[in-house]
Amino acid sequence: MTQTRDPGPIQAASGSAGRWWTLVAVCLGTFMLLLDVSIINVALPDIQKDLGSSFAGLQWIIDAYALTLAALLLTAGSLADLYGRRRLYVIGLGLFTAASLLCGFATSTLMLQLSRSLQAVGGAVMFSVSLALLASAFRGKDRGAAFGIWGAVTGLAIALGPVLGGLLVSGLSWRWIFFINLPIGLVAAFLTVTRVVESRAPSARRPDWLGFVVFSTALALLVFGLIESNQQSFTHPLVLGCLVAAALLLGLFVVVELRGRHPMFDLTLFLKPTFSGGAIGGFGLSSTLYAMLLYVTLYLQNVLGFSALGTGLRLVILSGGILVASVAAGRLSSHVPVRLLIGPGLALIGVGLLLMRGLDADTTWTHLIPGLVVAGVGAGLINPPLASTAVGVVPPERAGMAAGISSTFRQVGIATGIALLGSLLGARVADTVTTGVAGIPDLAARGPEITAAVQAGGVAPLLASLPPELRDTVATLARTAFADGLDRILLLGAVGAFLCAVSAFFLIREKDFVSQD
C-alpha cells in the first residue's frame, strides 16, 4: 500500500465547488453502505425463514461482508492511487449496486453470502477512497466541517436503517432492502462521473499482494474458528487449529509488513498514540454495540415475537440517539479535544449494554429502552471525531493509508465481535436448555433439538410437534435460554467497551495532530 497519497495538481485546482461536490458524492456512497449495514439486521429473521439459514449461516451473511471489506480496504486504496481515485470510486459504486441486485435475487443462504462478499468488494473500494477524497479536498476548518457533515450522514444512515428495513420487509419482502440500493448507487455514480475531479498519487506503488493474502487468510481462519466453536467447542481440534493458524499468520503478517519495501500496513503509524487510540476506539465500537445489534434484533423478533417493522420502530430509540449525538459531535469535533468525545462515548456504550441486562422469560421490550438510549448517544459521540484520529495525525499525502487502516479495524471488530458473541450466546443457550430439560423425562433427550430451534428461530414449528402439555414448558425454556445467552454477551460487550474507552481516552492526544493547512 502506498504511503504517499498526493492529491495532485488536478484535485488541488478543482476549486470550492469541486470540493463540495466531492463531499456530496462521498456522502451518498457512505449513506448507501451504512444503510445496507443497519438495514439488514431487521431482515435476518425473515431471511432465516425464507432461505432456511442456520444460526451460523446468519452470522456468515454479515461476516462475509465485514471480512471481505476488511481484507480489501488497503489493497483497494493502493489500486486507486495507481489508476485514479474517481475511477475506482465509480467502479466500487457499480460493483456494490450490481451485487445488491444479486443479493435481492438470492435463492439460497450460500448465494446470499457470496453476493454479500461481492458487495464488500465494491464497498472496500468506496471506503478506501472516500475519506482520502475528503482529506485531499479539504483543509483547515473546512475539513472539520466536511468530516462533521460526513459523520452526521453516517448517523442518519444508521438511524433510518431499522425503520426503512422494517417497512420494506413488512410491506414487500426482505429482498427490497437490497433493491433499494439501485437508485442510490446510480445517482452517486452519475455525480461522481460528472462532478468529481480525477486525482492520482504521482508516486503510487503496486499493492502489497503478499500482505493481502496473509492478512485475508488469517482473518478468515479466525472468524471461521470462532463461529465453528458454537457448533463444536473451543477445545475441538478444528477450532483450535483455525485459531492457532490465525495467530501464526497474523504474526507472519507483522513480519512481512516490517520487512517489506512497500507494506500494506505502515506499522509505524501505531507509534503515534492517537492513531492507536483511534483504532482501538473504532474496533471497540464495532465489536460491542454494532455486533450486538444482530442478537438484540433476533431477540426482539424470534423471542418477543415482533414483526420486522415493529422491531425497526423499537430500534429507532437507538438510532435516534446516534443521529442526535452525531450531529452534536460533528459540531463539537472542531472545538473540543476528540478524546473527550471518543472515550466517554465508549464508556456510555458500556453503561448502555449494562442497562439492557437482567433479561428473563418474562422481560418486555421496554426493559431495553434506557440502555438503547444511552448506547445510542455513546455511539453518536464517537463516529464523527473517529475519522480525524486517523487522517488528522498524518500529512495529507498519507491520509489514504491511515483512513484505510482505521476502517479495517472497524470491519475486523464487526466480524470478530459477531463471531465471538454468537459463539458465547450459543454456548449459554445450550447450557440453559440442557439444564432445563434434565428433570423432564419426556424432554431429556430433546435438548439438542430445542437448542437448535432456539438458535434458528424455529421454536414455533417445534412447539407444534410437541404434546400440548409440554408446549408451555418448552416455550418458556426457549425464551429463558435466549435471554440468558443475550444477558451474558451484554456483560462481555460492556466490559470490552469500558476497556476500549480507557485506552482511547489516555492514548488520544492533541499534540499528535498535524497541521492540515
Side-chain angles (χ1 to χ4, degrees), residues 281-446:
F283 180 89
L285 171 64
S286 297
S287 62
T288 57
L289 180 62
Y290 287 167
M292 192 75 67
L293 277 178
L294 167 61
Y295 305 109
V296 172
T297 300
L298 292 177
Y299 175 72
L300 288 171
Q301 290 185 247
N302 290 346
V303 178
L304 298 187
F306 292 110
S307 66
L309 178 57
T311 298
L313 290 173
R314 285 161 178 80
L315 290 178
V316 166
I317 297 169
L318 172 72
S319 52
I322 293 175
L323 176 59
V324 172
S326 291
V327 173
R331 295 176 178 176
L332 290 172
S333 58
S334 299
H335 305 288
V336 302
V338 295
R339 72 189 186 108
L340 297 182
L341 298 173
I342 295 175
L346 285 164
L348 285 175
I349 289 175
V351 172
L353 295 178
L354 289 179
L355 289 174
M356 293 184 218
R357 297 192 74 235
L359 304 173
D360 56 37
D362 299 320
T363 302
T364 62
W365 81 273
T366 55
H367 173 86
L368 300 173
I369 291 177
L372 291 173
V373 171
V374 174
V377 171
L381 290 178
I382 297 169
N383 271 321
L386 199 59
S388 66
T389 62
V391 300
V393 298
V394 298
E397 63 269 14
R398 301 183 69 194
M401 174 178 281
I405 294 175
S406 176
S407 297
T408 298
F409 265 78
R410 297 182 72 160
Q411 298 307 315
V412 171
I414 290 177
T416 56
I418 285 175
L420 179 59
L421 294 176
S423 178
L424 295 176
L425 185 148
R428 183 65 172 181
V429 167
D431 290 344
T432 303
V433 170
T434 301
T435 302
V437 301
I440 306 175
D442 293 336
L443 295 176
R446 305 189 69 169

Side-chain angles (χ1 to χ4, degrees), residues 64 99 103 109-119:
C103 288
T109 303
L110 178 60
M111 180 179 175
L112 182 56
Q113 292 165 350
L114 293 175
S115 300
R116 289 277 290 168
S117 292
L118 182 59
Q119 258 192 326

Side-chain angles (χ1 to χ4, degrees), residues 437-462:
V437 301
I440 306 175
D442 293 336
L443 295 176
R446 305 189 69 169
E449 181 185 0
I450 297 173
T451 298
V454 173
Q455 293 182 342
V459 174
L462 174 65

Side-chain angles (χ1 to χ4, degrees), residues 143 269 272 275 390-396 398-399 402 512 514-516:
R143 173 178 282 190
L269 288 175
K272 294 180 179 288
F275 186 86
V391 300
V393 298
V394 298
R398 301 183 69 194
D512 288 338
V514 300
S515 174
Q516 305 295 334

Side-chain angles (χ1 to χ4, degrees), residues 204-256:
R205 301 185 179 97
R206 298 290 175 182
D208 175 15
W209 293 114
L210 178 59
F212 163 71
V213 171
V214 174
F215 184 66
S216 303
T217 306
L219 281 184
L221 287 172
L222 174 61
V223 172
F224 179 81
L226 291 174
I227 291 178
E228 190 65 20
S229 67
N230 181 42
Q231 305 297 320
Q232 310 291 338
S233 69
F234 279 102
T235 58
H236 190 276
L238 176 62
V239 175
L240 279 177
C242 288
L243 297 180
V244 170
L248 293 175
L249 285 173
L250 286 174
L252 176 61
F253 175 71
V254 172
V255 173
V256 168

Side-chain angles (χ1 to χ4, degrees), residues 64-269:
Y65 181 89
L67 269 179
T68 306
L69 198 62
L72 287 175
L73 271 171
L74 292 168
T75 301
S78 180
L79 293 173
D81 282 348
L82 282 170
Y83 301 111
R85 298 184 182 113
R86 184 184 69 174
R87 177 182 297 176
L88 266 291
Y89 192 68
V90 171
I91 290 173
L93 284 166
L95 280 174
F96 191 91
T97 305
S100 296
L101 192 63
L102 291 176
C103 288
F105 287 119
T107 56
S108 68
T109 303
L110 178 60
M111 180 179 175
L112 182 56
Q113 292 165 350
L114 293 175
S115 300
R116 289 277 290 168
S117 292
L118 182 59
Q119 258 192 326
V121 175
V125 177
M126 295 163 63
F127 263 130
S128 66
V129 177
S130 59
L131 283 180
L133 285 174
L134 292 184
S136 62
F138 291 91
R139 298 286 188 274
K141 293 182 179 180
D142 282 348
R143 173 178 282 190
F147 280 146
I149 294 171
W150 179 83
V153 168
T154 66
L156 180 63
I158 295 170
L160 289 178
V163 177
L164 185 57
L167 286 169
L168 292 172
V169 173
S170 297
L172 297 169
S173 80
W174 62 266
R175 300 179 186 278
W176 281 90
I177 69 169
F178 298 109
F179 292 150
I180 196 175
N181 290 333
L182 272 64
I184 301 175
L186 291 174
V187 171
F190 174 78
L191 288 178
T192 304
V193 170
T194 59
R195 298 292 185 177
V196 177
V197 177
E198 181 62 282
S199 66
R200 295 178 177 84
S203 56
R205 301 185 179 97
R206 298 290 175 182
D208 175 15
W209 293 114
L210 178 59
F212 163 71
V213 171
V214 174
F215 184 66
S216 303
T217 306
L219 281 184
L221 287 172
L222 174 61
V223 172
F224 179 81
L226 291 174
I227 291 178
E228 190 65 20
S229 67
N230 181 42
Q231 305 297 320
Q232 310 291 338
S233 69
F234 279 102
T235 58
H236 190 276
L238 176 62
V239 175
L240 279 177
C242 288
L243 297 180
V244 170
L248 293 175
L249 285 173
L250 286 174
L252 176 61
F253 175 71
V254 172
V255 173
V256 168
E257 298 306 285
L258 289 175
R259 295 175 64 87
R261 292 182 60 191
H262 310 302
M264 184 173 81
F265 265 52
D266 181 3
L267 297 178
T268 61
L269 288 175

